[in-house]
Amino acid sequence: MKKLINNPEDVVKEALQGMAEAYPELIRVDVENQLVVRKEAPVQGKVGIVSGGGSGHEPMHGGFVGKGMLDAACAGQVFTSPVPDQMYTAAKDVNGGKGVLFIVKNYTGDVMNFDLAAEMAQAEDIQVQSVVIDDDVAVQDSLYTAGRRGVGGTVLAEKICGAAAERGDSLDDVANLCRRVNENVRSMGMALTPATVPAAGKPSFELGPNEVEIGIGIHGEPGRRRMELQSADDITEMLAEPILDDLPFKNGDRVLAFVNSMGGTPYLELYIVFNKLHEILKGRGISIARSLVGPYITSLEMQGVSITLLRMDDEMEMLWDAPVYTPALKWKA
Amino acid sequence: MKKLINNPEDVVKEALQGMAEAYPELIRVDVENQLVVRKEAPVQGKVGIVSGGGSGHEPMHGGFVGKGMLDAACAGQVFTSPVPDQMYTAAKDVNGGKGVLFIVKNYTGDVMNFDLAAEMAQAEDIQVQSVVIDDDVAVQDSLYTAGRRGVGGTVLAEKICGAAAERGDSLDDVANLCRRVNENVRSMGMALTPATVPAAGKPSFELGPNEVEIGIGIHGEPGRRRMELQSADDITEMLAEPILDDLPFKNGDRVLAFVNSMGGTPYLELYIVFNKLHEILKGRGISIARSLVGPYITSLEMQGVSITLLRMDDEMEMLWDAPVYTPALKWKA
């Protein structure tokens, strides 16, 4: 295992400590509880937004904490759900009297632990709602999931709901908006190479020297199929078409097109995928209203790409454009 | 070679096309001449700033084109200098009557071609100044360089000089500022894995399964030494100490601390390096005034990290904080 780490068991805490030192103006970090919290939290009169999940998907979620996005992120060990106490502590930390929204990626451990934390918070009269994101069209059930997995759509939901909370929307309204984002977003990913969890010390799966996996999960869970490497154009079609046909996206729709690096993919390759995606969308009469290209929901050093498409409406566009100031996503105010 | 590409010879043009489609509000792309140009260029009454170099280091430089940073970036083939015609065309495209600054990384081909382009532009009465960035302390001369290589300091010079140009500074003033940044910035990098140039089809060098290279260049040029992988803390010391001793940085200095991914390194590892770097700086009485963490000057999918430290003064801090709106660096306005 070739990684820039010290002890595998200290990876998450040391990385959180490093984040705290890099962004003191944006966040504070509770290293003991593995929480990244917006510096000025709790913001009175604003719905608090909490997300979280296993580490190894950075910048998700800690990198999205700050003005206009998340109020707190709970970091589990690598590829391992955080525990209910973390989410419960986060809910208390960010509750500004208007309640707390949990945005949860659909993995069994995450869903169960966020549910327990919601009960704990509600027992102390903190209003909590949870919305589960399940945007991955690749597989129905999978290794860690009943139903579809939550992937890139989560980034978009967190940005859009963060903006709605910032303008003062109620908990019901922010939760409903989050559900609306989830209903209109679809994703699918692929891998060229596996990733190695530091505590495991070896890759979580194997791929042959010319083999790729289509429909991979962000923990390396099996996808739809393995095959020989094909051209970027062909692979982009294999990802885009199931996404487009699933919702389905239609002629006249406008979308946010998100091409995500699984961690180790050069920008050159992401832009080549974006170029083909643009052509496919144009061919179906779908316009790209907004875009996001880069490593935002990763799987450690995995090489590969995922595509996420969100059907936008006027309100989502306005909220997407609203100011955001976090370590990983910054927009002009 | 496992890459998301179509034909190796089309990599740069297709990626540029993808960039154009992803960021139509920020840039326009001249695919034929491989130029990324700020959408509203030429901006009248503003010094135009042009940079460029071989592709494969994305988001540098095309991702830095936009308000508050570069007016144009010239993209060569992967790891190959752009040609003088590209830089000359860029100078004409961005000259708003106040002259053009070329920011050049110190590689023999880049320096020679930017010099030729400057002569061509001057022959048409466009004022041009060139500043060469040579911040890499690892080696004196190297495979493609007489003197030190230009690396991460270039990102910081482009941001700071872009802000100075935006506020209306003269060409002389922006060029002098660029020299001042170069005098106060030092960098060093290391690699865990090599990268593969698409047209070559195989890694540009080999590293054993537990071997790393300290002082690597961004094209995989040899560094100071190869050794067995060590802890992140030890490697951070091996990079930080030569940087600190070179300027030298002193007790009481405040710095911009930039921890850069060579392309394939997870954020978790970058933050672990940042954590140790913070401790080393603190031990020397040096404070971190600003930070930048992520993939900004890469070497395709290479895993590894570079550290860049810039000794900041009040003006540099103000210019660093000034609004920027480009594909890869965005700040609140």
Side-chain angles (χ1 to χ4, degrees), chain A residues 289-326:
Chain A
R290 298 291 183 274
S291 68
L292 185 67
V293 183
Y296 292 101
I297 169 170
T298 63
S299 183
L300 297 165
E301 71 278 10
M302 183 188 286
Q303 287 179 40
V305 70
S306 65
I307 292 174
T308 295
L309 296 177
L310 169 64
R311 183 165 58 194
M312 301 282 266
D313 55 38
D314 289 344
E315 189 186 27
M316 286 187 209
E317 270 185 32
M318 192 188 65
L319 293 167
W320 179 256
D321 291 342
V324 62
Y325 205 56
T326 70

Side-chain angles (χ1 to χ4, degrees), chain A residues 2 4-6 15 17-18 21-23 58 192 208-209 211 231-233 267-269 271-272 275 278 291 330, chain B residues 2 4-6 14-15 17-18 21-23 58 192 208-209 211 231-233 267-269 271 275 278 291 330:
Chain A
K2 238 180 182 181
L4 289 167
I5 63 172
N6 296 301
Q17 192 64 47
E21 290 145 4
Y23 303 106
E58 290 69 24
L192 296 164
E211 195 181 32
S231 71
D233 283 357
Y267 272 94
L268 276 181
E269 298 177 34
Y271 286 125
I272 290 171
N275 186 39
H278 175 269
S291 68
K330 293 189 181 81
Chain B
K2 237 180 182 181
L4 288 167
I5 62 172
N6 296 301
E14 288 180 8
Q17 191 65 47
E21 290 145 4
Y23 303 107
E58 290 69 25
L192 296 163
E211 196 181 32
S231 71
D233 283 358
Y267 272 93
L268 275 180
E269 298 177 34
Y271 285 123
N275 185 39
H278 176 268
S291 68
K330 294 189 180 81

Side-chain angles (χ1 to χ4, degrees), chain B residues 34-101:
Chain B
Q34 297 192 177
L35 298 179
V36 179
V37 181
R38 179 174 166 177
K39 194 180 178 188
E40 60 274 30
V43 180
Q44 293 305 317
K46 189 188 89 69
V47 169
I49 304 190
V50 174
S51 191
S55 293
H57 308 302
E58 290 69 25
M60 169 165 272
H61 297 271
F64 302 145
V65 174
K67 182 178 159 61
M69 208 161 168
L70 299 180
D71 292 271
C74 311
Q77 294 309 104
V78 174
F79 293 180
T80 304
S81 177
V83 296
D85 263 345
Q86 289 175 272
M87 298 130 174
Y88 165 64
T89 305
K92 288 193 296 184
D93 284 350
V94 309
N95 177 37
K98 215 168 170 175
V100 176
L101 175 67

Side-chain angles (χ1 to χ4, degrees), chain B residues 79 81 105-110 136 138-151 195 197 203-206 213 215-224 226 299 302:
Chain B
F79 293 180
S81 177
K105 298 195 302 299
N106 190 33
Y107 299 98
T108 308
D110 289 10
D136 187 341
V139 291
Q140 185 51 35
D141 299 316
S142 83
L143 206 53
Y144 308 112
T145 321
R148 288 178 167 185
R149 301 174 298 217
V151 290
V197 175
S204 50
F205 62 100
E206 301 280 347
E213 178 138 356
I216 194 94
I218 56 171
H219 314 92
E221 310 96 297
R224 287 188 172 191
R226 291 185 174 199
S299 184
M302 184 188 285

Side-chain angles (χ1 to χ4, degrees), chain B residues 109-130:
Chain B
D110 289 10
V111 171
M112 189 175 68
N113 291 347
F114 270 107
D115 279 350
L116 284 167
E119 288 174 21
M120 292 160 73
Q122 281 154 348
E124 301 207 11
D125 291 327
I126 300 172
Q127 276 191 287
V128 177
Q129 290 204 34
S130 280

Side-chain angles (χ1 to χ4, degrees), chain B residues 252-311:
Chain B
D253 282 348
R254 61 184 200 271
V255 298
L256 188 158
F258 171 24
V259 173
N260 174 62
S261 164
M262 289 296 200
T265 304
Y267 272 93
L268 275 180
E269 298 177 34
L270 301 180
Y271 285 123
I272 289 171
V273 170
F274 196 96
N275 185 39
K276 180 64 180 178
L277 178 62
H278 176 268
E279 182 194 307
I280 294 167
L281 293 174
K282 198 173 169 188
R284 294 197 183 208
I286 297 164
S287 62
I288 298 179
R290 299 291 185 274
S291 68
L292 185 67
V293 183
Y296 292 102
I297 169 169
T298 63
S299 184
L300 296 165
E301 70 279 9
M302 184 188 285
Q303 287 178 40
V305 70
S306 65
I307 292 174
T308 296
L309 296 177
L310 169 64
R311 183 166 58 196

Side-chain angles (χ1 to χ4, degrees), chain B residues 172-187:
Chain B
D172 277 347
D173 287 347
V174 181
N176 283 333
L177 175 67
C178 197
R179 289 180 198 105
R180 196 165 97 229
V181 171
N182 190 48
E183 285 159 10
N184 285 281
V185 71
R186 297 293 186 274
S187 299

